[in-house]
Amino acid sequence: MSDWTHRHVLDLAAFSLEDYTTVLELAQRFRVMPTSGARKLPALQGRLVTTLFFEPSTRTRSSFELAAKRLSADVQSFSPSSSSLSKGESLLDTVRTYVAMGADLLVVRHRCTAVPAALARDLEASGDRVAVLNGGDGLHSHPSQGLLDLFTLARHFAPEAPSPEALRGRRIVIVGDIVHSRVARSNLWALTACGADVVLCAPATLLPQAFAQFVDAPPPGQASDPVARRGAVIVERDLDRALAGADAVMTFRLQKERMHQHLLTSLESYHRAYGLTHARLERCGSAVPVLHPGPVNRGVEMSGALLDDLRCSLVEEQVTNGIAVRMALLYLLAAG
Ligand code: NCD
């Protein structure tokens, strides 16, 4: 844990294999802690975690807030609709107000790419010591979701000792609205870093061919890739071919709020070609675990029956694991 160097968590493209190991080990400790009786650890006593969600959220925000409370932090949350933003206050001035109230850690979600990074830069420039954690920015990045998906898969393959090694050589299929998904992007960085091969599957309108090169170069502003050798990224348009030999499948929601034109002829035809069902998984001969970050459109990206089938659906497990992963992140950023 002594190797942890990140002041903020903004994008998994900046994570090394050691960073993933640190988060997974710590998350496992929090995950196996008893959740009844003495539920709270004193690690963040006296620290203030502020959640600033400028975009709707069900899971991420409440998971961060619960994680902070389990570490004994104080928690404050900001609601944009009832704030002075509507009176014309700038985003930075609004955020500075919370910093002036003593926030040690800000969890920020925004519909525009790079807002959390811009806030982190501006706050650092003015000498503020607050840490920024990206709770999802536009299409760009959702690091805590990428980490909880990684943790869930690592625990599936190695329940006692989840580590990046558990992913090495695995074939992980990601199907759905990839072009609009920040979760897909974060998963691409995380899974390939751990040596998994990622098969992306969707129609061309939701998955440009260029995604095959997604992890070939570090993103703008990052000088180099901290990971020496990544798994492969493969684009496969046919779901049955993608699923052949898969070790796990993730499916993502059609992000209608980010689609500015018709990208599909109909939801029914999308479900027929790309929806996950028991029959489809069985046809491919794979009893694979299925993940979805939520919220799920039942009957579109996956059938309701598959979602509810706890023999293969890890969706609830992802939610539970998310608390432990966020505890690990808050601990690493704020306890030091
Ligand atoms: C995702 C998000 O907000 O990016 N959800 C989540 O955080 N659990 C995915 C989505 O909205 O579809």
Side-chain angles (χ1 to χ4, degrees):
M1 219 173 298
S2 53
D3 295 341
W4 184 259
T5 54
H6 300 279
R7 179 162 168 190
H8 310 285
V9 172
L10 300 168
D11 187 356
L12 296 184
F15 267 45
S16 66
L17 211 45
E18 293 70 36
D19 294 328
Y20 290 109
T21 305
T22 301
V23 173
L24 263 49
E25 276 178 11
L26 196 50
Q28 175 72 353
R29 278 200 244 162
F30 292 134
R31 180 66 176 82
V32 298
M33 245 174 47
T35 50
S36 56
R39 296 167 75 114
K40 284 195 178 189
L41 291 176
L44 298 193
Q45 210 151 34
R47 303 294 179 118
L48 177 57
V49 175
T50 303
T51 55
L52 298 124
F53 277 56
F54 299 91
E55 209 187 47
S57 166
T58 305
R59 293 158 191 76
T60 307
R61 180 186 188 138
S62 31
S63 176
F64 266 115
E65 293 180 354
L66 191 53
K69 287 176 191 165
R70 292 220 172 132
L71 294 172
S72 305
D74 293 325
V75 178
Q76 191 174 37
S77 47
F78 159 81
S79 308
S81 55
S82 55
S83 76
S84 288
L85 278 176
S86 57
K87 299 182 188 170
E89 185 172 62
S90 78
L91 185 69
L92 183 59
D93 285 338
T94 301
V95 172
R96 274 198 215 287
T97 305
Y98 284 95
V99 176
M101 286 188 221
D104 296 291
L105 203 140
L106 305 173
V107 184
V108 181
R109 169 173 286 192
H110 202 282
R111 73 185 160 80
C112 297
T113 289
V115 166
L119 285 172
R121 198 183 49 236
D122 288 351
L123 292 166
E124 257 185 51
S126 54
D128 288 302
R129 299 229 15 99
V130 66
V132 178
L133 214 150
N134 183 357
D137 63 329
L139 310 182
H140 171 236
S141 174
H142 193 344
S144 67
Q145 182 71 44
L147 290 168
L148 82 86
D149 294 341
L150 179 68
F151 181 58
T152 302
L153 284 170
R155 269 176 64 86
H156 178 81
F157 297 126
E160 303 304 324
S163 74
E165 208 38 50
L167 271 294
R168 186 155 305 281
R170 305 275 181 186
R171 177 177 166 99
I172 312 294
V173 175
I174 298 183
V175 52
D177 184 358
I178 291 163
V179 74
H180 296 109
S181 175
R182 52 197 176 204
V183 182
R185 288 172 174 81
S186 287
N187 265 292
L188 274 167
W189 290 115
L191 295 170
T192 58
C194 299
D197 296 330
V198 181
V199 183
L200 300 174
C201 185
T205 47
L206 301 182
L207 172 61
Q209 188 62 36
F211 265 83
Q213 282 85 47
F214 186 77
V215 297
D216 289 358
Q222 193 175 307
S224 59
D225 187 344
V227 175
R229 204 166 149 265
R230 291 185 177 272
V233 179
I234 300 146
V235 170
E236 169 57 69
R237 306 275 171 208
D238 180 86
L239 183 55
D240 293 330
R241 275 205 297 269
L243 287 173
D247 293 296
V249 194
M250 284 183 194
T251 173
F252 293 140
R253 185 174 67 89
L254 295 175
Q255 307 244 333
K256 292 186 200 124
E257 73 277 24
R258 302 189 212 281
M259 293 184 190
H260 302 301
Q261 52 187 318
H262 288 288
L263 298 177
L264 299 167
T265 48
S266 76
L267 289 184
E268 291 73 23
S269 65
Y270 175 80
H271 180 68
R272 267 198 306 279
Y274 294 101
L276 293 178
T277 59
H278 280 107
R280 177 152 239 149
L281 292 180
E282 277 157 24
R283 223 174 31 235
C284 299
S286 17
V288 292
V290 178
L291 289 82
H292 191 309
V296 180
N297 295 309
R298 275 178 186 263
V300 180
E301 54 264 11
M302 70 197 292
S303 68
L306 188 59
L307 175 64
D308 296 334
D309 182 353
L310 296 181
R311 286 169 307 167
C312 49
S313 167
L314 297 183
V315 177
E316 285 182 16
E317 187 64 17
Q318 286 172 274
V319 175
T320 308
N321 289 340
I323 302 165
V325 166
R326 290 174 175 123
M327 286 171 79
L329 292 175
L330 293 172
Y331 181 90
L332 288 164
L333 289 183

